[in-house]
Amino acid sequence: MSKGVLDLCNRALSLLGADRIESMEEASAEAKNCNLHYEAVRDEILREAEWNFAMKSEPLALLGELQGGSYEYQRPSHCIFVSQVYGPEGPRPVRANFRIMGDRIICAIRQAQADYIRSDFLIEQADSLFQTAMEYRLASKMSATLGDANRSERLMQYYMEYIARARLANAQEREQEGYHANPYSDDR
């Protein structure tokens, strides 16, 4: 794991008053707990909000046509949450209803594309609200074994505050319905 993961884990450990770790591979209880919880907590938080830093758009790999006019696509690797599926038509794509079935995406659009939240990013590139939320959530998970179990509730409250702030910030950064870029007026 990267130095950023180590730094984030150490910040979570500091919230518990636990000892710092020098490496994720060391034999300490702190490192073992960080390794046990890190990826599960990261993936859980990625599903909590549509994090702009973790969003990726790409065409889906067609697996085949199903009866009834639907198409089956491979869910992208490292995909945690599919935000939307759409067709390739024009500058404002048509959104499609879709269904996730294991590692497959089913929809009625041929040549479908998807916007999704991915887990294969460097934590150093993550939004600061995500990092702070992750510190609190990770500390909450580890509090039963490494710190004061009574801190867990307070740490979860802080976590929920950061998730709410992050949702608002992400929503404000997204393209608003009805807004269309105009290169003539945008240059003024």
Side-chain angles (χ1 to χ4, degrees):
M1 291 192 187
S2 71
K3 182 180 179 329
V5 171
L6 180 66
D7 291 344
L8 188 140
C9 287
N10 276 322
R11 291 191 302 269
L13 290 166
S14 75
L15 293 171
L16 298 172
D19 291 336
R20 293 178 53 88
I21 57 176
E22 297 299 320
S23 164
M24 296 294 286
E25 290 77 32
E26 69 186 51
S28 68
E30 290 83 1
K32 288 178 182 177
N33 270 274
C34 286
N35 278 312
L36 176 65
H37 296 293
Y38 179 83
E39 286 185 9
V41 167
R42 179 202 61 206
D43 293 354
E44 181 181 313
I45 296 172
L46 285 170
R47 290 188 64 83
E48 291 264 353
E50 291 191 34
W51 299 96
N52 294 334
F53 77 88
M55 185 70 69
K56 186 172 184 177
S57 299
E58 70 178 46
L60 296 173
L62 180 64
L63 297 173
E65 186 171 354
L66 303 174
Q67 292 179 349
S70 291
Y71 299 92
E72 183 178 40
Y73 295 93
Q74 179 67 50
R75 187 174 178 167
S77 63
H78 305 290
C79 174
I80 296 295
F81 174 80
V82 177
S83 174
Q84 65 179 344
V85 175
Y86 51 91
E89 307 85 17
R92 303 281 304 173
V94 176
R95 291 183 183 181
N97 291 328
F98 64 93
R99 183 173 49 168
I100 305 291
M101 296 182 69
D103 65 346
R104 307 285 194 256
I105 299 173
I106 312 296
C107 71
I109 291 186
R110 186 159 177 75
Q111 297 179 331
Q113 300 180 55
D115 292 346
Y116 64 93
I117 302 295
R118 61 191 174 88
S119 63
D120 63 337
F121 60 87
L122 294 174
I123 193 66
E124 300 90 324
Q125 297 170 344
D127 183 286
S128 61
L129 290 172
F130 177 88
Q131 290 187 38
T132 303
M134 185 148 174
E135 292 163 18
Y136 281 114
R137 185 69 181 110
L138 188 57
S140 174
K141 282 277 194 189
M142 296 188 297
S143 66
T145 55
L146 293 179
D148 179 1
N150 296 325
R151 285 188 188 181
S152 181
E153 189 175 323
R154 189 174 67 237
L155 292 166
M156 279 301 291
Q157 288 173 343
Y158 289 133
Y159 165 72
M160 295 305 291
E161 288 175 24
Y162 273 91
I163 287 294
R165 289 174 58 191
R167 284 183 179 138
L168 178 61
N170 281 317
Q172 291 171 338
E173 290 176 345
R174 292 207 181 272
E175 181 178 354
Q176 302 299 312
E177 285 295 320
Y179 174 78
H180 300 282
N182 182 333
Y184 300 108
S185 63
D186 289 350
D187 285 342
R188 291 183 190 165

